[in-house]
Amino acid sequence: MSGTSLDGIDAALVDFQDNETHLVEFEYLPYSDEIQSTIQKISKPESLISLKEYGAMDAQLGSLFAKAVNALLAKAAIPTSSVKAIGSHGQTIYHAPDIRFPFSLQIGDPNIIAETTGITTVADFRRRDIAAKGQGAPLVPAFHQAVFQHPNEHRCIVNIGGIANITVLPRNQSAEVIGFDTGPGNTLMDLWIKLHRNLPYDKNGAWGKTGKIDHDLVTLLKQDAYFNAAPPKSTGKEYFSLPWIYQYFDAFSYKAEDVQASLCFLTAITICDAVKKHAPATERILICGGGIHNDYLLELIQQNIDCPVESAERYGIHPDHVEAVAFAWLARQTMNNLPGNLKEVTGALDSVILGGIYQVNKKGGSPVAR
């Protein structure tokens, strides 16, 4: 898994025996500055890159994902023959579910992953849901339901990556599960601190905490139609971007740290508003994703919600590992001919088997040296 924060690749080795979800090992492979820069360039809404540059990055990321898998298996001392399949989300370049011909584009060539690792690879998960008239996102709620739903507690899972999303898990196991992107997670804060301090992210939210939240400014930003749109809905960093900020106010007429504090509060309050509106019975919020490391953001969420806000780690999976484990689970669904989407979450007409399967020539085998 590599998300909208563009920090690197998360690789999880997961054992699903006896219908349990057990994380065996985890590996993280950071992106170089050059790769981050190229992905950001390719991902810009009006990017005019060449097909050569696009294709080369698709192939390079495929090789990097394979490298992460091989490093993971070496770390765990697990042979490739013991692995049923790889689930590769890929790197999202553009997500546009609401245009006339909707699509969601992820790169990281699965042919290269399968060939380099010697392991069957499942990839391209989102487009089948879009073909079924869904948003193609979020896809992790089905996994959240499988591992976090509890018969004695109404829970809400909040995943804070570049974009934030929630999954509402009622006590009633047969009740409808809903989920959607609430709006920006870390993406606006990351862009703003990169612009002003040339740092990739605001560690612990420390810089944002030095600023003063401008509530009038946050109210102005919350007028964006996305926040009040009814689910199913999904979004991406191609929408919540620096130009998105600039269209609402003269960002440079404010202290930079005050804007950072306000952007942090925007993420917090739009998450809390979504929970209050769509999951008013919530008794506990579980946080996963990179946002767990922003202490200021978590403080603001807890201040604006009337239930405990806790790390997913207390309930079995470290927040940094949840999404990678989720795509292992989604690959397992596909390999078992089972649907991976929740149609009530994505708005799809039906529950569908997600992704394409890239078979290796023979079962097991050794990774090809690269």
Side-chain angles (χ1 to χ4, degrees):
M1 174 73 197
S2 179
T4 50
S5 294
L6 304 181
D7 55 338
I9 303 162
D10 295 332
L13 182 63
V14 190
D15 183 355
F16 293 108
Q17 290 187 91
D18 302 319
N19 284 321
E20 296 290 326
T21 300
H22 172 62
L23 179 65
V24 178
E25 191 56 87
F26 185 84
E27 178 73 6
Y28 171 68
L29 180 65
Y31 283 149
S32 67
D33 291 344
E34 181 183 1
I35 288 173
Q36 281 186 338
S37 178
T38 303
I39 295 172
Q40 287 168 346
K41 178 182 176 183
I42 292 173
S43 302
K44 288 180 180 178
E46 304 305 324
S47 177
L48 295 176
I49 62 154
S50 68
L51 287 175
K52 180 180 178 182
E53 191 172 12
Y54 166 84
M57 181 51 61
D58 182 38
Q60 186 175 3
L61 287 181
S63 294
L64 282 176
F65 293 151
K67 180 180 178 181
V69 169
N70 287 337
L72 173 69
L73 295 181
K75 186 177 182 180
I78 295 291
T80 59
S81 58
S82 295
V83 181
K84 177 73 172 179
I86 297 167
S88 178
H89 172 270
Q91 180 66 61
T92 296
I93 298 302
Y94 206 94
H95 182 69
D98 296 317
I99 63 176
R100 182 184 176 192
F101 295 103
F103 71 96
S104 186
L105 181 61
Q106 288 75 40
I107 61 173
D109 188 351
N111 296 282
I112 293 174
I113 300 172
E115 189 66 21
T116 305
T117 62
I119 301 170
T120 293
T121 300
V122 185
D124 192 18
F125 289 91
R126 299 192 183 277
R127 292 198 295 176
R128 184 58 182 273
D129 182 83
I130 289 177
K133 309 301 181 185
Q135 290 274 312
L139 294 181
V140 290
F143 171 71
H144 290 160
Q145 181 184 33
V147 298
F148 291 125
Q149 193 168 35
H150 195 281
N152 297 325
E153 188 171 71
H154 190 112
R155 294 177 174 177
C156 191
I157 313 302
V158 177
N159 177 64
I160 309 173
I163 298 298
N165 58 66
I166 65 171
T167 303
V168 181
L169 300 175
R171 292 183 183 191
N172 183 350
Q173 309 285 298
S174 61
E176 183 178 274
V177 171
I178 65 168
F180 55 90
D181 290 346
T182 60
N186 303 313
T187 187
L188 296 179
M189 292 183 280
D190 290 351
L191 289 167
W192 192 250
I193 197 169
K194 179 68 175 178
L195 181 67
H196 288 273
R197 308 193 75 182
N198 198 31
L199 294 171
Y201 63 96
D202 188 1
K203 188 175 182 180
N204 300 322
W207 184 49
K209 197 166 186 177
T210 67
K212 181 180 178 181
I213 297 169
D214 188 317
H215 290 276
D216 290 338
L217 187 57
V218 174
T219 299
L220 178 66
L221 295 175
K222 280 177 62 182
Q223 291 176 4
D224 188 273
Y226 183 83
F227 298 120
N228 292 316
K233 61 179 179 176
S234 61
T235 188
K237 59 186 176 59
E238 60 281 326
Y239 185 78
F240 287 105
S241 59
L242 288 177
W244 180 84
I245 295 174
Y246 300 153
Q247 72 178 331
Y248 281 101
F249 68 102
D250 180 5
F252 297 96
S253 65
Y254 294 79
K255 289 183 178 179
E257 62 268 28
D258 291 350
V259 173
Q260 185 75 355
S262 300
L263 293 175
C264 189
F265 185 70
L266 176 70
T267 291
I269 199 64
T270 49
I271 288 170
C272 292
D273 286 350
V275 172
K276 291 173 183 177
K277 183 175 181 179
H278 297 280
T282 297
E283 298 169 85
R284 190 179 309 275
I285 289 176
L286 307 187
I287 304 286
C288 55
I292 192 72
H293 303 294
N294 187 324
D295 296 338
Y296 185 42
L297 175 59
L298 296 187
E299 180 183 315
L300 291 173
I301 292 172
Q302 184 64 86
Q303 287 174 4
N304 289 277
I305 206 77
D306 295 324
C307 68
V309 177
E310 298 181 331
S311 167
E313 188 170 19
R314 291 195 62 183
Y315 299 86
I317 306 179
H318 191 282
D320 290 336
H321 303 163
V322 171
E323 282 207 301
V325 175
F327 278 89
W329 184 87
L330 286 166
R332 177 175 177 256
Q333 292 292 101
T334 300
M335 295 296 290
N336 290 334
N337 295 315
L338 296 171
N341 65 333
L342 290 177
K343 61 181 181 179
E344 58 270 27
V345 168
T346 66
L349 297 177
D350 202 0
S351 298
V352 291
I353 299 171
L354 302 177
I357 300 174
Y358 295 76
Q359 297 275 8
V360 291
N361 290 331
K362 58 182 179 179
K363 188 174 182 180
S366 300
V368 179
R370 288 287 188 267

